[in-house]
Structures are given as C-alpha cells and as structure tokens.
Amino acid sequence: MTAFLTSLSSVGEIVLVIALGYWLRKSGKLDDKFKGSISFIIMNIALPVSIFMSVVSHLNRDKLLSLSSGLFYVFISFVLGYVVALIFVKIFKIRKGRRGTFINMFVNANTIFIGMPLNIALFGDQGLPYFLLYYLINTISTWAVGIFFISADDPTKDKISASGAKFNWKKLLPAPLIGFIVALVWLVLGLPITFIVQPAAFPMLGNTFTMVGGLVTPLSLIYIGIILADAGLQSIHFDRDSVLALAGRFVIAPAIMIVVLLTAKHTVGTVPTPELNTFVIQAAAPGLAVLPILVGQSHGDVDYATNLVVTSTVLFVIVVPILMEILAFL
C-alpha cells in the first residue's frame, strides 16, 4: 500500500503540471508558435544536456559493463513484443491503415515526454542509468523498426515501394540520443568530468548544465498538456481495435518485461530492484506522441492513432499505481 500511495502521489504531481499546460493551451495563453518552440527546446537543448549530465554523473566504465545485461533484457522484450503484436494483427484481422499503429502501440513507448519525468519522480537518480538503456533501445526500435511497419501499412499502396519502408537515419540519431552517445564516449575515453559533475570546481559551467537539464521534466509535462488540449479529451472512444492495442501497451508489454526479468533473475543472477522497476514502468508508458504524424505521412488511420495516444496518456495515470503495487510483490 505504501508503494501505491507513493506512486499515486508522484503521478498526482505530474497530472497537476500536465493540467496546467492543458489549461494554458485551452485558455489561449499558449499559441502554436510556443508549442513548436517548447518542443524544440526539450528535444534539442534541455534533453541532450540532461541525458549527458545523467550519464557522466551516475555512470562510469565499470558500471557500463555491469549494465550490458540490461540492454539484452530490453532487447529481448522488444523482440517478443513485435512477435506478439504481429500474431494479434493476424488473429484479430486488424485492417490495413491501422496495423502500423497497432504494432507500435504494443512495443514503442513515449519515453521522453512522460517516461523520463515519471521515472525521476518515482525512482529518483537510482533509476536513471536503467532509463537511459531503455531509451536507447526504444529509440532504435521506433526509428529503425516501428517506422517500417507504419510505412508498409500505407493503404494507398498495393506493394511496399523501396522508398516507402526505409530506415530514417536522421531520426535514428535524434539530439537526445546524440547526447547519450557523446556521454558514453566521454566515459570510455576517460575524459575529465569533475568540472561538470562537481559545480564547486567550476560553478558557472556545472550549474548551467544542471539548470538547463532541469528544464526537461516541467517543460515535458506542460507539452503533454498542450497535446491533450489539441487532441481533445472528448475524442476518446473505445472500439475493438483500440481496446486490443491498449491491452498490448498496458498489460502485454509490461507482462513480457516482467517475465523476461524474472527469468533472468532465476537463471542468470540478481536483477537490481531499480532496474526491474524502471524497465517495467517504461514498458507500460503511453504511446508515442508523434504516432499520429507518422501515420498521417503514410495515409493511415490518423483518428485511430490520435485516439490511442490520448487514451493511453490519460489511462497511464491509473495504470502506474497498479503496476507499482504489483512491483512491490516481485
């Protein structure tokens, strides 16, 4: 019950900031230009700095090696997620135009705008190294595999053209991932980090990095509020395909992750509690915020994609406390 109340309190704080963004957008205080600007600041400035600071502050070369098993666990869970999603598409005959959205809802999560701030709120700095591992696999999965299924699901094309289902190398290396890679190289090469992680050594630079990185959580939550205001809560509805996709996001994906981690725990060795908790919560994060845009580019069912993103974001508030209570017994 303590875990449930703690997670409920953390989620409540997040909901209040999201509600602030929702109200500001609905009241006309935040226009489209601000929406684009805040997204740019998060993705291209604050988040890369935040990830860089998290890596150099909480990881070292020895710990990087110890975390390699976590990458394997996440990779296996993603592979199994794709397999189960494809089976569901066949069994339930998901129609063309919805299949790419359906598969992505099963596997790929909104780790940036919701997953990261929630992880910080629930687990603090202990969960950050594991979040970064999940973020890495999630990004590669989204832009190298997930986008393929969306492009291949174009109902206006009888066959997959060579240009319609190709990797988007530019998006495979977004600014946040570049920040992660730079930080890893920094650690591997053994470059000095004292002047960054210990502001007392160089207070102006260290404090600036910390301050800019600290923008991620509040700005991300306000941005989600803006997205919800634009989509409209009244657009939420539950048809068969939506319920199945949401079940994949909130039940099957975390269940696969739990099975993978418990199997590793009983065969390979101990799985740290922060690692288990972080991976499971991230596996149940809402659908990708950019999903409707990607689906629209491939002439898919945009209304279906939008409904799933909005619905999964709203339901996540209920799902997290339940998952935290389950994790308390693992």
Side-chain angles (χ1 to χ4, degrees):
M1 183 58 69
T2 301
F4 180 85
L5 293 176
T6 300
S7 60
L8 194 62
S9 175
S10 298
V11 172
E13 296 167 3
I14 289 172
V15 170
L16 289 177
V17 182
I18 292 175
L20 173 62
Y22 182 91
W23 174 77
L24 288 172
R25 178 65 165 176
K26 279 293 188 181
S27 62
K29 301 295 190 301
L30 305 180
D31 57 17
D32 289 338
K33 186 175 181 180
F34 178 83
K35 177 184 176 182
S37 298
I38 195 174
S39 177
F40 177 84
I41 291 172
I42 294 169
M43 291 298 295
N44 295 285
I45 300 175
L47 191 55
V49 171
S50 176
I51 289 176
F52 176 83
M53 289 294 290
S54 297
V55 172
V56 299
S57 299
H58 302 103
L59 295 178
N60 52 50
R61 280 181 287 187
D62 293 336
K63 195 164 187 179
L64 278 175
L65 292 174
S66 69
L67 291 175
S68 59
S69 59
L71 276 176
F72 177 73
Y73 303 151
V74 177
F75 174 77
I76 291 298
S77 72
F78 271 65
V79 171
L80 292 175
Y82 278 115
V83 171
V84 174
L86 288 168
I87 292 173
F88 268 56
V89 167
K90 293 292 185 182
I91 292 177
F92 295 102
K93 296 179 172 60
I94 306 300
R95 73 170 186 257
K96 197 170 182 63
R98 288 188 170 188
R99 295 169 188 168
T101 301
F102 188 88
I103 292 170
N104 273 273
M105 278 299 295
F106 261 69
V107 185
N108 300 313
N110 189 349
T111 55
I112 294 299
F113 293 111
I114 294 185
M116 185 173 185
L118 179 67
N119 214 75
I120 293 173
L122 292 177
F123 312 124
D125 292 343
Q126 282 188 326
L128 276 174
Y130 307 110
F131 167 82
L132 293 171
L133 296 181
Y134 195 96
Y135 166 75
L136 175 63
I137 298 297
N138 190 78
T139 299
I140 295 173
S141 171
T142 299
W143 298 112
V145 183
I147 190 68
F148 174 87
F149 284 111
I150 292 175
S151 299
D153 190 38
D154 191 335
T156 65
K157 297 179 181 179
D158 294 329
K159 295 181 180 180
I160 303 172
S161 66
S163 61
K166 62 182 180 181
F167 294 163
N168 189 327
W169 294 108
K170 182 179 179 181
K171 290 188 176 180
L172 189 57
L173 286 174
L177 185 55
I178 292 175
F180 181 65
I181 294 172
V182 170
L184 289 182
V185 172
W186 198 285
L187 289 182
V188 171
L189 295 180
L191 299 176
I193 61 173
T194 305
F195 69 98
I196 296 176
V197 300
Q198 295 181 5
F202 199 155
M204 184 174 67
L205 184 61
N207 288 335
T208 299
F209 271 55
T210 301
M211 190 181 302
V212 173
L215 294 173
V216 172
T217 300
L219 289 185
S220 296
L221 297 178
I222 289 174
Y223 181 80
I224 284 295
I226 294 173
I227 294 296
L228 290 176
D230 288 346
L233 297 180
Q234 70 277 5
S235 67
I236 294 176
H237 61 275
F238 297 93
D239 56 24
R240 190 204 65 158
D241 291 354
S242 296
V243 171
L244 288 172
L246 291 170
R249 180 95 300 268
F250 292 135
V251 179
I252 296 175
I256 289 175
M257 182 62 76
I258 289 173
V259 170
V260 169
L261 293 174
L262 290 183
T263 301
K265 190 175 182 178
H266 290 96
T267 57
V268 179
T270 303
V271 176
T273 299
E275 180 177 16
L276 190 149
N277 291 345
T278 295
F279 287 167
V280 172
I281 291 297
Q282 293 304 315
L288 295 164
V290 297
L291 200 53
I293 298 174
L294 299 176
V295 171
Q297 291 175 344
S298 295
H299 310 101
D301 191 335
V302 177
D303 290 338
Y304 176 67
T306 301
N307 178 56
L308 285 179
V309 171
V310 174
T311 306
S312 64
T313 301
V314 173
L315 291 180
F316 189 54
V317 176
I318 301 172
V319 171
V320 171
I322 296 174
L323 274 179
M324 288 297 292
E325 195 66 18
I326 293 173
L327 287 172
F329 291 97
L330 298 181

